[in-house]
Amino acid sequence: MSDFEPTIVAFFCNWCTYTAADLAGTSRLAYPPNIRIVRVMCTGMVDPKYVIKALLDGADGVLVSGCNPGDCHYINGNYKARRRIKLLKEIIEQFGFEPQRLRLTWIGASDGIRFAEIMREMTEQIKRLEPSAARLKMVI
Amino acid sequence: MAKTARIEVMDQNLAEALRNFLKAVLNREEISAVLAPRRLPMKNRVMPALITDPQQLDQADPLSPAFAVNSARLLSRLTRKPSGGQVAAVLRPCEIRAFVELVKLKQGRTDDVVIIGLDCLGAYSNRDYFRWATEPPEAATQKFSRAVLTGSGAAMDGVDLSPACKACESPTAEGADIAIGLFGVDTAKEIWVQARTAKGESLLGKLGFAEAPEPASRPKALEKLIAERIAYRDEMFQRTRAATETLEKLSTYLADCINCYNCRVACPVCYCRECVFVTDVFDHEPSQYLRWAEHRGAVKLPTDTLFYHLTRLAHMSTACVGCGQCSNACPNDLSLMELFRSVAHRTQAAFGYLAGRRIDEKPPLFEFRENEFPEVVGISRPSAG
């Protein structure tokens, strides 16, 4: 599996994790290029269908990342995101998606180093899995 | 005021006793109309009707195994604004539960409605019902209700209860204002009625029936029925999960879907006024289809079939009441109820929620707590895996 380069679709909130990604970049911290970032204003606006679409289109992993608890720019969007991720995990795991494929993290705007670490760790974990079934088969 | 009542059944005519009860309700000044299943004059079919003339109740057929639509959606239309009158709505338990979910979504109000819920005898699927309903309707319903209530079962003439009804572990009208008890009641002689809310108590009190204790055989009869239903349901969950446990199996399960979205139209709790799947979000560019086809060498049309079902599961499974209208509406006989209930059972349990159970219970995605579900956050903790 060593030559498997996964695609990870990442929904980052504008205020915290996206800013952390920026900080990691300007600090010249290396992290795997497998992460494909979609900037959203808040993790609270990540509709379950965005995650489902990414998984069905062959993403090997989906990462949703926003502000730490209490730091949400919109007060509580990240708490709402946590419930949606809980809901989604209950659903997708029933259809054979491994739990590692969908992740939620909280990375503050100043955590550039932690951001790079988490991206490396997530990529490593996905690499240990097979490519997503949705990549290989015809998805109806 | 009466909390309970006994209604006498004359000449073993249960349906007539129920109709007389509904007439007594409609004759009350404060009740403007009764919403109840009623036979159509032009064909041997039973559909919900809003009835203001007590004589029209002669054709009411609340025990019929017809279940063409879930009336929760209809009651939501009748109650979304004050109508100037109060409606007594005769509903099946799953219709009550769906209505409770719609009220929570502000798509219905309980203010101008008294819900009269019956112990549900179950229903046939539309296809089976159309096949079965050849006898004169009164005799047919009587044959059905007697068979169910005497314990010989609903299977007859080559039809049986729909799988949704066979798997229904909530056949009593918990959320009704007035609940009508049939199971474990000697329905050749009587019906047992219970007011479950202050509103129901007030109305029942005015009807002048004597209080009556719960028939002694009722709890046992219900316990037995519910145990059978749970056994069927759990076997159904197991079977359905095994049939859909991988993406490939799920694709096989849904392979006959033609994206007609009838299941969404028939679903009483699919609450969006306009479904995203019929908006221009899904009017893809023609060039997009070519790109998708090139990506994998072939793309199945219509596209987005799994996407649609998985999104619907994410959007409404926490509100699913298991009425089975999705399966009823499917032109290609997909076992949708089985799939949606299997997932809903798990998603509702994850939030300690039961759709339609209580009107004051917030839907899972309407609220959050500060410290909850630590297992879904982070990527390094082993427990997160």
Side-chain angles (χ1 to χ4, degrees):
Chain A
M1 274 335 292
S2 57
D3 55 349
F4 165 44
E5 286 297 340
T7 303
I8 297 168
V9 174
F11 297 96
F12 291 161
C13 100
N14 178 59
W15 306 98
C16 292
T17 306
Y18 191 83
T19 310
D22 231 8
L23 178 59
T26 50
S27 312
R28 295 176 177 270
L29 295 168
Y31 65 90
N34 306 70
I35 313 284
R36 310 295 153 82
I37 300 174
V38 180
R39 178 168 67 162
V40 294
M41 290 310 285
C42 178
T43 51
M45 64 156 286
V46 178
D47 189 289
K49 68 179 169 288
Y50 302 168
V51 174
I52 293 167
K53 174 73 174 165
L55 289 171
L56 290 177
D57 272 9
D60 299 294
V62 173
L63 174 62
V64 177
S65 185
C67 306
N68 280 295
D71 286 353
C72 177
H73 194 75
Y74 306 100
I75 302 169
N76 53 31
N78 47 2
Y79 293 122
K80 292 170 182 164
R82 183 170 56 189
R83 282 215 160 200
R84 289 211 191 98
I85 297 294
K86 173 73 181 166
L87 171 73
L88 271 166
K89 279 181 163 287
E90 293 294 332
I91 295 170
I92 64 170
E93 287 174 34
Q94 205 157 321
F95 304 122
F97 287 100
E98 294 86 346
Q100 298 94 308
R101 293 200 192 272
L102 174 59
R103 296 296 206 183
L104 171 70
T105 60
W106 285 323
I107 306 172
S110 57
D111 286 341
I113 296 172
R114 193 153 166 265
F115 172 87
E117 276 169 9
I118 287 177
M119 296 311 119
R120 282 195 287 271
E121 201 168 338
M122 171 103 187
T123 309
E124 279 313 307
Q125 283 190 11
I126 301 291
K127 275 189 178 178
R128 270 179 247 135
L129 303 172
E130 298 282 314
S132 165
R135 264 194 190 220
L136 307 170
K137 304 269 162 38
M138 178 187 250
V139 173
I140 61 169
Chain B
M1 282 209 282
K3 278 195 173 141
T4 58
R6 176 183 176 276
I7 302 172
E8 207 172 331
V9 174
M10 309 294 276
D11 306 325
Q12 303 198 9
N13 195 336
L14 179 58
E16 189 63 20
L18 280 171
R19 284 194 283 264
N20 286 336
F21 176 74
L22 296 179
K23 280 182 191 173
V25 169
L26 183 55
N27 280 329
R28 292 296 313 170
E29 201 182 349
E30 66 271 29
I31 301 294
S32 311
V34 169
L35 172 69
R38 185 194 183 280
R39 290 177 201 130
L40 296 181
M42 70 296 285
K43 195 174 181 185
N44 185 8
R45 293 289 182 263
V46 177
M47 294 292 258
L50 188 64
I51 300 164
T52 53
D53 177 357
Q55 273 195 344
Q56 295 281 330
L57 278 169
D58 288 337
Q59 296 300 315
D61 198 351
L63 298 174
S64 161
F67 187 25
V69 291
N70 187 310
S71 301
R73 177 71 73 197
L74 308 172
L75 190 57
S76 143
R77 284 174 183 247
L78 295 177
T79 61
R80 68 188 176 89
K81 287 178 183 172
S83 62
Q86 185 158 234
V87 173
V90 181
L91 301 178
R92 292 179 187 272
C94 58
E95 295 177 312
I96 299 175
R97 295 197 296 276
F99 183 64
V100 164
E101 289 299 305
L102 290 175
V103 170
K104 291 180 193 177
L105 292 156
K106 311 263 185 277
Q107 294 191 7
R109 294 155 58 255
T110 54
D111 307 34
D112 309 318
V113 61
V114 181
I115 296 177
I116 299 175
L118 272 73
D119 274 3
C120 186
L121 305 187
Y124 298 142
S125 73
N126 281 349
R127 279 187 182 73
D128 280 351
Y129 177 74
F130 297 156
R131 211 148 44 88
W132 176 80
T134 49
E135 285 182 57
E138 181 75 14
T141 298
Q142 195 169 58
K143 183 166 101 173
F144 170 78
S145 61
R146 272 200 194 142
V148 174
L149 289 167
T150 55
S152 60
M156 61 178 86
D157 311 327
V159 299
D160 199 356
L161 289 188
S162 74
C165 297
K166 283 186 193 165
C168 174
E169 69 286 68
S170 317
T172 59
E174 301 299 317
D177 295 301
I178 294 177
I180 293 180
L182 304 172
F183 290 120
V185 179
D186 184 4
T187 47
K189 296 195 189 110
E190 61 175 4
I191 300 167
W192 185 66
V193 183
Q194 186 188 25
R196 301 186 60 92
T197 63
K199 199 195 286 181
E201 203 176 317
S202 156
L203 178 60
L204 190 58
K206 288 175 199 155
L207 299 178
F209 294 107
E211 287 259 359
E214 181 173 13
S217 50
R218 185 167 158 79
K220 268 236 160 79
L222 283 175
E223 198 180 315
K224 179 170 173 282
L225 176 69
I226 292 168
E228 286 167 11
R229 297 282 179 83
I230 288 177
Y232 180 92
R233 181 199 73 181
D234 290 349
E235 189 275 325
M236 174 184 95
F237 285 165
Q238 218 175 359
R239 182 165 26 97
T240 309
R241 283 176 188 149
T244 58
E245 66 193 354
T246 63
L247 192 60
E248 200 174 359
K249 285 187 178 178
L250 180 67
S251 303
T252 310
Y253 194 89
L254 295 170
D256 292 333
C257 177
I258 53 166
N259 291 41
C260 70
Y261 305 145
N262 282 1
C263 46
R264 187 251 304 152
V265 175
C267 178
V269 296
C270 224
Y271 50 83
C272 295
R273 302 286 296 190
E274 186 181 33
C275 177
V276 67
F277 282 88
V278 297
T279 64
D280 54 9
V281 172
F282 286 84
D283 281 342
H284 307 301
E285 289 295 320
S287 59
Q288 177 73 65
Y289 289 106
L290 287 181
R291 281 201 298 278
W292 277 329
E294 278 163 11
H295 185 56
R296 287 173 214 249
V299 64
K300 175 249 164 195
L301 299 177
T303 57
D304 305 312
T305 305
L306 277 190
F307 188 21
Y308 161 71
H309 288 288
L310 287 172
T311 300
R312 215 167 82 77
L313 281 166
H315 282 181
M316 55 55 69
S317 71
T318 52
C320 176
V321 297
C323 68
Q325 288 298 348
C326 45
S327 289
N328 228 357
C330 182
N332 289 349
D333 284 330
L334 291 173
S335 299
L336 290 167
M337 178 282 298
E338 287 84 342
L339 175 64
F340 276 73
R341 273 218 70 188
S342 299
V343 172
H345 189 71
R346 193 168 153 175
T347 54
Q348 291 180 21
F351 296 100
Y353 187 76
L354 202 60
R357 175 171 53 187
R358 293 174 58 99
I359 207 145
D360 54 1
E361 203 171 29
K362 279 193 182 164
L365 296 185
F366 275 34
E367 59 174 359
F368 58 85
R369 303 199 209 306
E370 204 175 330
N371 296 305
E372 59 178 3
F373 309 124
E375 73 279 8
V376 305
V377 182
I379 64 168
S380 48
R381 246 170 303 178
S383 65

